[in-house]
């Protein structure tokens, strides 16, 4: 499974706290997120985490990015948010990869 971070962002006028329709869509998303994640083979590991600056974050796992794309689209999130989904790796994986790379930049005081 691949892990993705989903980042949503909307302008203040489309905030669920100030826009009645967006508030209804937000409630609908909350009620349907479990069923939609099952339908598209996506596991929501963390979130949605909501911020006060009109963004939210999700950590999602899926076998295929297309399933993530369908989840985001069919959930309606794209109707009032800009949505970015990024594949990510765990810190331990990044550390292991670090050992396989040759540094290309060196400090001037290194010989």
């Amino acid at each position: 499974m691949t892990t993705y971070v989903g980042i949503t962002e909307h302008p203040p006028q489309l905030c669920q706290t100030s826009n009645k329709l967006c508030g209804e869509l937000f409630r609908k998303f909350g009620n349907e997120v479990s069923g939609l994640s099952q339908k598209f083979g996506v596991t929501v590991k963390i979130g949605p985490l909501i911020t006060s600056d009109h963004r939210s974050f999700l950590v999602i796992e899926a076998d295929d990015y297309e399933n993530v794309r369908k989840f985001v689209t069919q959930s309606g999130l794209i109707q009032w948010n800009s949505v970015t989904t990024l594949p990510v790796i765990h810190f331990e994986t990044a550390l292991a990869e670090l050992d396989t790379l040759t540094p290309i930049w060196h400090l001037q005081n290194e010989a």
Side-chain angles (χ1 to χ4, degrees):
M1 287 231 167
T2 302
T3 302
Y4 299 87
V5 171
I7 305 165
T8 69
E9 185 170 4
H10 57 260
Q13 64 270 25
L14 293 180
C15 185
Q16 58 271 11
T17 63
S18 63
N19 184 302
K20 183 176 180 178
L21 177 59
C22 293
E24 291 168 3
L25 292 170
F26 185 70
R27 289 181 202 286
K28 180 180 177 192
F29 171 75
N31 292 332
E32 296 179 355
V33 69
S34 179
L36 285 169
S37 62
Q38 288 178 350
K39 178 179 179 180
F40 295 110
V42 170
T43 302
V44 177
K45 301 299 280 183
I46 300 172
L49 303 173
I50 311 301
T51 70
S52 60
D53 66 346
H54 306 289
R55 292 187 296 168
S56 66
F57 301 88
L58 292 159
V59 177
I60 304 166
E61 285 186 346
D63 287 329
D64 183 353
Y65 175 74
E66 185 63 14
N67 293 341
V68 175
R69 190 192 68 75
K70 287 178 182 177
F71 169 76
V72 168
T73 302
Q74 294 301 310
S75 70
L77 284 173
I78 63 168
Q79 293 180 308
W80 81 97
N81 292 283
S82 295
V83 180
T84 303
T85 51
L86 303 168
V88 296
I89 58 174
H90 292 276
F91 184 71
E92 295 79 16
T93 303
L95 283 176
E97 288 179 354
L98 181 64
D99 293 334
T100 68
L101 299 172
T102 302
I104 60 171
W105 300 100
H106 301 280
L107 296 176
Q108 285 187 347
N109 61 357
E110 288 185 6

